[in-house]
Amino acid sequence: MWREFQTRYGHILPIKNLTRKGDLCYNHINRSTSHPRVCCYLDGIDMVKEKNTETVRRSIKRSIENKIERALTKEFYCSQKELNEKTTIYSINPDTEQPYIKILAYKDHVVICTSECLYSKTRKILQDKTRDEIFEFPLVYGQTIHYVPDEDCLEENSTSSDYACESFFGEDVFCLRGLTGFENALAFDENGQTATRAVCVARDGGRVIGVAGAAGSAVPDLWEIGVDVLEGYRKAGLGTHLVRTLTEALLAREIVPFYSASITNIGSQMVAYRCGYKPCWVDTFGTILDGNSVYDDLVKDLSLQFENVFHTVQLSSICETKAQHSA
């Protein structure tokens, strides 16, 4: 059973391929201190030791970006080339029967992914709109900001906790089956299954008080981290310590983590910042028409059929354009 404590006492973690070209490999733990020093190798270079060279920093950035872009192309049905163009990209999600809209802001452009039934109307309405205007589109709701490790995340930047912390990977996660109240980090379904593949758990005595968890994504070796801390233990750095500890353990296993937070959750965003993460992309939750909005009952009560909604939005856009020309 792997536990994160092992990394704090000088053990060398197993790696799949130390010199796999063009990818990130992490395996060395500093034996000379009580804190882990995660070393990252790219093409045989220790990028922690050599991190101040611009070439190495660019290599780290490219490797992380490549994994992120591969994941975004799968989610937003576009190409990596399109993700790096300075224009608005429109794409269709072929796998949904519900009215679907999801918007992405990445680097210098926006991707608008819709169901086929909304594609033409959405493109007509949002044509020539700025990024901010697109994200104000009345039919979308909620925004999430996603973070990735900064190149400086590889520096020694240990955190500490007054509580015992323990990590579990793979099948060992199931020893926590039945644990509830930490759904942002670890949740089991009615069959006792979970998508979480790694956790770091904090306990006060025998009671679990905080959990950081990581689940896989559509891209191998790219996992999303979430964290939950019980109410009475928040604002004391415990969430930061859990995320930082799990981040180091993932990097040591050649896994690139990313961290997500609602744009309204400043506390969660601060955890990302303190753990050495940087903002990478922003996306929306979805469309109010897909039945997933918390205001779905209100939408139904108002009889807002998507044809009427689009007609209203289009008329408003036309009126706004006319007013600008008149001015």
Side-chain angles (χ1 to χ4, degrees), residues 39-317:
C39 288
C40 170
Y41 289 89
L42 179 65
D43 295 341
I45 302 172
D46 182 343
M47 292 189 293
V48 175
K49 183 178 180 181
E50 306 292 342
K51 65 181 179 298
N52 291 324
T53 68
E54 190 61 30
T55 300
V56 171
R57 293 176 67 86
R58 284 198 301 267
S59 296
I60 300 171
K61 183 178 180 180
R62 278 198 306 269
S63 185
I64 293 175
E65 280 187 355
N66 182 58
K67 289 181 182 291
I68 295 299
E69 289 178 3
R70 284 163 55 199
L72 293 179
T73 60
K74 293 177 181 293
E75 183 175 2
F76 289 90
Y77 299 89
C78 59
S79 67
Q80 281 190 251
K81 180 181 178 182
E82 289 174 320
L83 282 175
N84 287 278
E85 294 176 351
K86 294 184 179 181
T87 184
T88 299
I89 304 299
Y90 297 86
S91 64
I92 295 176
N93 179 349
D95 301 325
T96 179
E97 297 179 0
Q98 294 279 7
Y100 175 93
I101 302 174
K102 193 172 178 67
I103 301 174
L104 162 73
Y106 177 72
K107 293 185 176 178
D108 296 324
H109 75 283
V110 173
V111 177
I112 303 168
C113 184
T114 71
S115 53
E116 189 170 3
C117 64
L118 300 183
Y119 178 82
S120 297
K121 295 184 178 74
T122 302
R123 183 160 189 166
K124 187 173 183 179
I125 292 171
L126 298 181
Q127 196 76 32
D128 300 323
K129 293 291 191 295
T130 67
R131 179 182 59 197
D132 290 343
E133 290 169 340
I134 290 172
F135 270 80
E136 292 168 358
F137 191 36
L139 296 186
V140 298
Y141 69 96
Q143 296 178 22
T144 303
I145 184 167
H146 305 271
Y147 297 80
V148 297
D150 197 340
E151 297 88 289
D152 293 332
C153 184
L154 298 175
E155 293 180 349
E156 292 186 44
N157 186 21
S158 298
T159 57
S160 60
S161 173
D162 294 331
Y163 303 101
C165 296
E166 188 174 15
S167 290
F168 303 90
F169 281 78
E171 293 298 318
D172 293 339
V173 170
F174 289 97
C175 72
L176 299 169
R177 186 183 282 127
L179 182 67
T180 60
F182 302 92
E183 281 68 28
N184 287 323
L186 175 65
F188 293 93
D189 63 21
E190 57 186 10
N191 298 316
Q193 299 300 308
T194 180
T196 302
R197 300 166 67 181
V199 295
C200 183
V201 178
R203 289 186 172 90
D204 185 0
R207 182 191 184 196
V208 174
I209 59 172
V211 179
S217 71
V219 173
D221 299 331
L222 178 67
W223 293 11
E224 181 175 12
I225 289 183
V227 64
D228 262 321
V229 175
L230 294 183
E231 184 72 36
Y233 295 88
R234 296 174 186 170
K235 299 181 179 180
L238 180 57
T240 298
H241 178 70
L242 289 170
V243 171
R244 180 72 192 188
T245 300
L246 186 57
T247 295
E248 291 173 347
L250 292 176
L251 292 177
R253 289 162 172 81
E254 305 178 57
I255 298 166
V256 173
F258 69 96
Y259 181 96
S260 305
S262 167
I263 60 168
T264 62
N265 192 338
I266 304 301
S268 184
Q269 294 174 43
M270 288 303 298
V271 169
Y273 174 77
R274 288 192 292 264
C275 289
Y277 283 74
K278 63 181 180 181
C280 185
W281 78 97
V282 174
D283 57 24
T284 61
F285 292 174
T287 168
I288 62 173
L289 304 175
D290 64 7
N292 292 321
S293 169
V294 295
Y295 298 109
D296 188 49
D297 291 340
L298 178 61
V299 172
K300 289 180 179 178
D301 291 343
L302 294 175
S303 301
L304 292 177
Q305 301 298 323
F306 75 86
E307 288 284 353
N308 295 330
V309 174
F310 270 101
H311 180 65
T312 301
V313 173
Q314 194 168 9
L315 285 177
S316 175
S317 178

